[in-house]
Amino acid sequence: MENALKNRVAVIGVGCTKFGELYEMSAEQLICDAAFEALADAGVEPQRIEAAWVGTQISQLAGDVLGDALQLHDIPITRVQNYCASGMDAFRGACLAVAAGMYDVALAVGFEKMRDGGYHRPARIHPVIDQGERAPHVFALAANRYFKRYGASKATLAKVAQKNHHHGTLSPKAHLRMEVSEEQVMKAPLIYSPLGLFDCCPTTDGAAAVVVCRADEARQFRSDPIYVKGIGLAVASGQPYYKPSFDYLSFPATQRAVASAYEQAGVTAKDIDFAEVHDCFTITEIINYEDLGFCARGEGGRFVEDGRAALGGELPVNPSGGLKSFGHPIGATGVRMIYELTHQLQGRAGDRQVKNAELGLAHNLGGPGAVSCVSILGSCL
C-alpha cells in the first residue's frame, strides 16, 4: 500500500503529569499540566495549535473540556473513546490529519480521573457472557490456559512484576515507585486466581499530551524531533472471548495492528530497540511479546525469565515501568507511552535510558482484547 504516514509527521513536544491518586486535582488541571508541558517542550504557543484530539474512556466530558481548559477556542476538537486505546487513537487522529495536509500543528491529549471519577462498568452487548465479566477474570483465564499449554507458572508472572516495578523506581512520574520481590508477588492477596495484587495494574489518575507537526517543518521547533513511522489500529469482531474458537493465548487485534504498523514503517520486530506494551496484567505482557513478534509462540515466559525484556537486555520492554508502575488512567495511557518513546529516542530518559535507542514501539490493548493500537516512532528520517 502507498504509505501516507511514514516520516510525514514529527513529534515535537510531550508532556505528562505525575500519575497517582490525585484527588486534589480536577480533570481540567491534569489536562492543563500535561498540555502546557508539551507546548513548552515544543516551544509552541497555544495559538499555534490548529486542531486537537482528546482521548478519554470514562469521563463524561466532551471535547470542549480541552478547549475551555486550554483556551483553545474556534478550532476543531475531537473526543476519542476507544477503550484502552483511546489516548493512542487520539494521537493517531492528530497524526493522520497532519499527514493529510489538513493542519501543520496539532495536539493530542489523553486523561482520566479514576480514583474519584465515578468509574463504572462499560456497556457490553452479550446478554449472558457479560454478566459478571471483568478484566481480571478474562486475563486470569488467559494465564491458566498459558500455564497449561506452555508450562509457565505464577513464578513466571512474578518476573514481569519484578522487572516493571524495578523500572518504575527509575520513573519520577510513576504511581508506584517500589521494588517487589518474587515472594511478595507470590504471596499477595488473590484478585482472580492465579492473578494476585501485584499481577494487576493500579487504578490511577493522570494525563499526557503530544504536539505533532509536519515533518518538513519540525526543525523549526527543535533540533531533535521524533518521526512517526507507522500507526496500526485494529478492532476484532466483538469481544474475542465471545467466540468458542478463542484460545486465550493471543489477541488477534494486537496481531493485526502490529502487522499494519510494521508494514507502514517498513520494519520487522527485529528492528525494534525497545517497547512500551500494555501490561494491564502480568500475563498480558507475556502474551504481548508473542503477538508483537518479539519471540516465538510459547516463548514469552522464557523471554522475561532470561532477562531479555529488562533494561540492558536484548529488547527492553516497559523501561518506564509500564502500567504496573504507572497505573492505567485509561485515556492517558497511550499518550503516556508516546511520551516515554519520545524521551527514550531523544536520550532524555535518565536512569532508565535504553542504550542506542533509535526505533521504539508502543502498544495498547483494550476491550479487553477487542481493540489494539500500535505506534512506531524513530529518531531518524
Side-chain angles (χ1 to χ4, degrees):
M1 65 180 179
E2 182 181 354
N3 196 323
L5 186 58
K6 182 180 179 182
N7 292 334
R8 297 193 182 191
V9 181
V11 174
I12 55 172
V14 291
C16 185
T17 68
K18 176 80 168 64
F19 278 31
E21 297 182 339
L22 308 178
Y23 296 111
E24 74 285 1
M25 298 186 70
S26 67
E28 290 82 358
Q29 287 174 307
L30 292 173
I31 287 169
C32 284
D33 283 3
F36 284 124
E37 182 179 320
L39 290 166
D41 192 43
V44 169
E45 295 296 324
Q47 293 74 23
R48 289 295 303 272
I49 300 299
E50 299 168 34
W53 282 256
V54 55
T56 177
Q57 171 66 18
I58 65 174
S59 169
Q60 301 303 309
L61 301 171
D64 61 349
V65 66
L66 197 62
D68 289 340
L70 302 177
Q71 296 297 294
L72 293 178
H73 295 134
D74 303 318
I75 66 169
I77 299 177
T78 303
R79 174 191 164 120
V80 179
Q81 182 179 15
N82 202 359
Y83 287 119
C84 301
S86 296
M88 198 177 295
D89 202 358
F91 172 69
R92 173 177 174 268
C95 290
L96 291 176
V98 170
M102 193 74 182
Y103 310 109
D104 292 336
V105 183
L107 174 70
V109 178
F111 78 94
E112 217 75 75
K113 285 283 290 178
M114 297 186 69
R115 295 304 300 171
D116 56 356
Y119 178 67
H120 59 87
R121 182 172 179 269
R124 304 288 201 216
I125 60 174
H126 197 284
V128 176
I129 296 176
D130 286 327
Q131 303 309 307
E133 173 271 316
R134 292 293 189 275
H137 160 224
V138 174
F139 288 100
L141 292 173
N144 283 314
R145 176 63 64 87
Y146 195 94
F147 291 175
K148 184 174 180 62
R149 177 70 60 87
Y150 298 121
S153 68
K154 191 168 172 61
T156 309
L157 303 184
K159 293 297 184 184
V160 176
Q162 287 178 275
K163 171 182 71 73
N164 289 352
H165 275 286
H166 172 66
H167 292 174
T169 65
L170 309 176
S171 291
K173 294 184 177 182
H175 183 168
L176 302 179
R177 302 188 67 204
M178 50 185 270
E179 303 277 6
V180 297
S181 67
E182 180 177 318
E183 182 180 16
Q184 283 177 292
V185 179
M186 299 286 282
K187 293 185 176 180
L190 284 176
I191 303 300
Y192 206 111
S193 183
L195 303 179
L197 182 64
F198 291 114
D199 291 299
C200 310
C201 71
T203 303
T204 303
D205 303 330
V210 180
V211 180
V212 296
C213 75
R214 287 171 41 183
D216 59 356
E217 296 185 351
R219 291 189 179 273
Q220 297 179 22
F221 300 100
R222 63 182 309 136
S223 61
D224 58 349
I226 299 304
Y227 299 98
V228 178
K229 305 297 182 179
I231 306 176
L233 177 72
V235 178
S237 177
Q239 310 301 316
Y241 49 86
Y242 288 171
K243 301 178 180 180
S245 61
F246 183 60
D247 66 3
Y248 290 87
L249 297 174
S250 65
F251 292 94
T254 293
Q255 295 172 318
R256 293 168 192 162
V258 77
S260 175
Y262 285 153
E263 182 180 4
Q264 292 172 49
V267 302
T268 70
K270 293 181 179 179
D271 298 306
I272 301 299
D273 296 317
F274 69 100
E276 286 285 310
V277 309
H278 202 89
D279 61 320
C280 48
F281 302 94
T282 49
I283 184 60
T284 321
E285 178 167 324
I286 290 171
I287 293 174
N288 292 338
Y289 299 153
E290 301 173 14
D291 283 343
L292 295 168
F294 298 160
C295 63
R297 191 64 58 193
E299 293 183 1
R302 289 186 291 278
F303 190 81
V304 68
E305 289 172 340
D306 294 344
R308 294 161 66 189
L311 276 170
E314 171 189 323
L315 198 167
V317 176
N318 287 328
S320 69
L323 280 64
K324 277 297 291 107
S325 291
F326 265 86
H328 183 28
I330 300 174
T333 290
V335 186
R336 194 271 304 165
M337 289 177 168
I338 302 301
Y339 169 93
E340 179 68 19
L341 260 59
T342 301
H343 274 231
Q344 290 282 356
L345 293 167
Q346 291 172 332
R348 294 197 286 162
D351 292 337
R352 66 185 187 281
Q353 181 66 49
V354 175
K355 293 182 180 179
N356 304 315
E358 295 183 355
L359 197 68
L361 178 150
H363 159 261
N364 282 143
L365 175 69
V371 59
S372 179
C373 195
V374 175
S375 297
I376 298 175
L377 306 185
S379 57
C380 304
L381 277 171

